[in-house]
Amino acid sequence: VLTLVGLSAIRDRNRERLYSMLLLASLPGWPLVLRAGWTEPLSLALMAAAFYAWRRPTGSGIALGLGLASKQFFLVTAPVALLHRDDGWLRRLLLAIAAIGVTIGTALVIDFEAFWSAAVEFPTTTLPRSDSSNFVCLLSSLGIDWAPTTLVSLAVGLVVAFVFGRRSRTRSSFMFAVALTLAASFLVSSQAFANYWFLVTGLCVVSLAR
C-alpha cells in the first residue's frame, strides 16, 4: 500500500501525497500492529487493491467485498457502498455483495457458533476499555465513566456513512468516506486501539493516491 501510494506521488510530483505516505510509514507501532493486529493491515491491503482496480468493476468489486467482509466493524460503512455512484458502480456493488456473502456464508457453514461468538457476541458484549484511544478513554481519565452501547457506535457511524456516502462520486471520495465513517464509529465505541486507527489512517492515505 505504502509503495503504491509513494510511487503514485512521485510520478505525479505530488508533495502532499508523498508527505502523507511518509507520515503513515513513520508512525510508531508498526511492528506491534503487524504482530498483534495483522487483520487491519490485511483489510487495508484488500481495500487498496479495490482502489487500484476501481476502473475494472469485476476485480474491484471482489476485492472490495473481501475487504468489507474482513472485519465486522465495516458494517457501518454499508451506506457508503450503497450510495456511491460512478461508472460501473452497480456491477461493482453486486460483486462486492456476492463476495461478502460467500466469505461470511463459508464461515457460517464451517462453524456457525464460533463465527457468531467472535463476530457478534464478543464485540457487542465487551465492556468499554478505559485504555482505548477514543472519547471513552478521555472521559475515563477525567473521572467520568461512560459505557456506550454498541448501538451508539453503530448509529454514529451510519449517520456519517449516509452523509458522506451521498457525496461519494470517485474512488478517492469512497475511501475517504469509509475512513471517516470508521473514525466516527471508533470514537464512541467500547474499544479502539492502535490497529484500528492505523486502518483509518491508511484508508485516508490510499484515498490520496491517483
Side-chain angles (χ1 to χ4, degrees):
V1 174
L2 295 174
T3 301
L4 291 173
V5 175
L7 291 175
S8 170
I10 294 172
R11 182 181 63 248
D12 297 342
R13 298 182 180 180
N14 188 309
R15 293 184 179 181
E16 291 77 10
R17 200 186 311 156
L18 181 60
Y19 293 156
S20 299
M21 183 277 294
L22 292 175
L23 173 62
L24 178 61
S26 62
L27 286 176
W30 269 115
L32 175 62
V33 171
L34 293 174
R35 184 175 67 252
W38 60 269
T39 52
E40 280 74 18
L42 174 61
S43 300
L44 180 58
L46 290 169
M47 297 297 282
F51 182 89
Y52 280 98
W54 203 259
R55 294 181 180 84
R56 297 185 292 276
T58 299
S60 61
I62 294 174
L64 180 62
L66 293 175
L68 295 178
S70 63
K71 297 290 293 188
Q72 61 267 49
F73 49 59
F74 273 115
L75 174 64
V76 298
T77 67
V80 178
L82 294 173
L83 295 172
H84 175 84
R85 294 292 184 274
D86 65 356
D87 294 339
W89 71 270
L90 182 57
R91 181 176 178 81
R92 184 184 304 110
L93 175 62
L94 292 177
L95 286 169
I97 293 174
I100 292 172
V102 171
T103 302
I104 296 179
T106 301
L108 291 173
V109 170
I110 293 175
D111 195 331
F112 177 85
E113 292 185 0
F115 177 85
W116 184 265
S117 175
V120 181
E121 288 185 348
F122 179 77
T124 57
T125 58
T126 300
L127 295 176
R129 293 277 297 270
S130 59
D131 57 344
S132 293
S133 299
N134 59 4
F135 285 143
V136 175
C137 181
L138 176 61
L139 293 176
S140 178
S141 67
L142 298 174
I144 303 174
D145 292 327
W146 182 43
T149 64
T150 303
L151 291 178
V152 173
S153 176
L154 184 62
V156 171
L158 288 175
V159 169
V160 174
F162 180 79
V163 171
F164 287 93
R166 294 183 62 185
R167 305 176 182 178
S168 181
R169 294 293 182 272
T170 66
R171 59 179 183 170
S172 292
S173 61
F174 179 91
M175 291 298 168
F176 191 60
V178 170
L180 288 179
T181 297
L182 292 178
S185 181
F186 293 159
L187 283 173
V188 292
S189 65
S190 61
Q191 51 186 332
F193 306 117
N195 48 316
Y196 289 35
W197 295 111
F198 266 86
L199 176 59
V200 171
T201 306
L203 288 171
C204 288
V205 172
V206 168
S207 73
L208 296 173
R210 292 292 184 271

